[in-house]
Amino acid sequence: MLLRPPPPAVSPPRPVGARRMWPRSFADRLTSPLPGVRALARLAREGAMRPVSSALAEEIPKLPFAPGPMPDPGPDTVAVTWAGHASWVVRIGGLTVLTDPVWSRKILGTPARVTPVGVAWQDLPKVDAVVISHNHYDHLDAPTLRRLPRDTPLFVPAGLGGWCRKRGFTTVTELDWWEGAELPSPAGASAGQAGGGRVRFDFVPAHHWSKRSLTDTCRSLWGGWVLTDRHKQRVYFAGDTGYGHWFGEIGRRYPGIDLALLPIGAYDPRWMLRPVHTDPEEAVRACQDLEARRMAPMHWSTFLLSEEPPLEPLIRVRAAWRKAELPREDLWDLPVGASRVLEPAHS
């Protein structure tokens, strides 16, 4: 029987806010070629990537939207609230972390959002950190970031720090894949822990790409984030990704993921979007590859970026979860605006 080698040790934490030099391009990290002229010509022939009008009229009113009071978790309790698309309010280790925050009604080149933001900006607790997965406009929204104090710590992919600093942010930490950094946690201090507790932010690979203008294709990296508190409770935020081998490697390096926030929408037409966006069945498979205990779907029901009907991702992910014979209570298929609390694993 062949034994798998143990995973590499987690890297020492990088200094928060340090300026670093990066290669001019990260194109060598692509796991699939980007669409070429033929693909763009086919897309033009087949029409815009938009659901048919009958599906829009029938299904948009049925999209789940149920904003409620945000939980006020204890310092050792993990809680998540889905604001819509890839934007989450993650409470971990006593910190409030926003993922890919987009509070704008409309983003460049995309129809306006079809469900309101699930959490009013004024209802947010103090934001202790923000993680960004990549620089596409539906994940990196300048108008939303402008609402934040400029000393808010930003954790971003390699190559994206300059963009953030130009907008006045003073604590920007750029990381390469498999690198991490830490922030002090009030949880450790309140418990009297020597040196205080810390929350670790690890940047991990994704099957995607980056581009924000005509001249910056793959000039910055892309990926997801693993957040870990002092009790090793872990939340994995996938960002934007296709399905592939990275999920198994992430699960190997960061065992015991308690909750995986995984994208299930923007997948049709498959001939074009398969390399960069998981469909619902692939998202469930990714959750299994990660060996995550729970999955919360995202990247649907907010901005309609592709051809599938608005409700189809939810229908298909529930069916795939049943087919995989996974516990129903471990699929956190939340309405926009809803929250869930993960009770402390150590208690």
Side-chain angles (χ1 to χ4, degrees):
M1 178 179 176
L2 294 176
L3 297 177
R4 294 179 65 186
V10 173
S11 65
R14 301 285 308 189
V16 170
R19 292 175 180 254
R20 303 172 65 182
M21 298 294 292
W22 300 105
R24 183 172 174 80
S25 173
F26 292 92
D28 61 321
R29 308 289 187 94
L30 292 168
T31 46
S32 295
L34 296 178
V37 174
R38 287 186 178 181
L40 296 177
R42 178 178 174 182
L43 187 64
R45 288 195 309 270
E46 295 182 359
M49 290 169 41
R50 180 91 170 139
V52 296
S53 55
S54 58
L56 293 174
E58 180 180 349
E59 296 189 13
I60 285 179
K62 299 177 183 178
L63 291 172
F65 178 72
M70 293 186 62
D72 186 15
D76 292 327
T77 301
V78 176
V80 295
T81 302
W82 189 31
H85 203 54
S87 301
W88 293 86
V89 184
V90 180
R91 315 287 290 278
I92 183 169
L95 301 181
T96 297
V97 181
L98 300 185
T99 70
D100 288 359
V102 179
W103 260 250
S104 297
R105 178 178 172 272
K106 197 175 188 305
I107 54 177
L108 185 66
T110 301
R113 61 195 309 146
V114 293
T115 50
V117 183
V119 182
W121 188 263
Q122 62 270 21
D123 292 339
L124 287 172
K126 177 185 176 295
V127 176
D128 297 297
V130 171
V131 297
I132 301 294
S133 64
H134 65 299
N135 70 354
H136 288 160
Y137 281 87
D138 59 322
H139 294 259
L140 179 62
D141 184 52
T144 299
L145 292 183
R146 280 199 295 268
R147 297 185 180 197
L148 292 165
R150 295 307 185 269
D151 61 351
T152 303
L154 304 185
F155 293 88
V156 304
L160 198 54
W163 185 96
C164 301
R165 294 187 187 99
K166 284 179 182 177
R167 284 148 184 85
F169 287 94
T170 57
T171 309
V172 182
T173 305
E174 297 174 85
L175 296 177
D176 202 343
W177 289 348
W178 310 124
E179 290 183 341
E182 295 178 345
L183 282 183
S185 163
S190 65
Q193 181 181 350
R198 307 187 74 81
V199 174
R200 182 169 167 116
F201 297 71
D202 282 279
F203 190 52
V204 296
H207 300 272
H208 206 61
W209 64 302
S210 69
K211 182 180 180 69
R212 199 168 175 89
S213 71
L214 294 175
T215 60
D216 68 348
T217 303
C218 296
R219 294 285 179 85
S220 61
L221 199 49
W222 52 91
W225 293 91
V226 177
L227 309 184
T228 308
D229 73 3
R230 68 193 183 100
H231 296 293
K232 301 299 183 185
Q233 295 181 115
R234 284 193 166 126
V235 176
Y236 165 60
F237 167 67
D240 223 351
T241 182
Y243 179 76
H245 67 283
W246 285 130
F247 293 109
E249 183 62 18
I250 293 166
R252 191 170 79 94
R253 294 191 186 217
Y254 302 96
I257 293 172
D258 294 284
L259 175 63
L261 310 175
L262 288 165
I264 66 167
Y267 49 79
D268 270 347
R270 290 313 281 150
W271 63 264
M272 182 174 184
L273 294 175
R274 182 184 303 276
V276 293
H277 287 167
T278 50
D279 65 21
E281 293 78 14
E282 290 169 335
V284 172
R285 197 182 320 156
C287 184
Q288 294 175 295
D289 293 349
L290 291 160
E291 297 186 10
R293 295 188 177 95
R294 303 165 188 84
M295 169 183 163
M298 64 174 184
H299 207 265
W300 76 285
S301 186
T302 308
F303 297 106
L304 301 182
L305 305 174
S306 53
E307 289 183 356
E308 74 270 5
L311 276 172
E312 184 180 280
L314 179 63
I315 295 168
R316 284 176 54 174
V317 78
R318 287 174 173 172
W321 196 262
R322 286 194 303 270
K323 185 175 181 179
E325 299 182 340
L326 298 169
R328 180 62 181 88
E329 63 271 17
D330 291 341
L331 178 63
W332 289 10
D333 47 347
L334 303 181
V336 173
S339 304
R340 283 284 181 92
V341 175
L342 182 68
E343 295 304 324
H346 65 283
S347 60

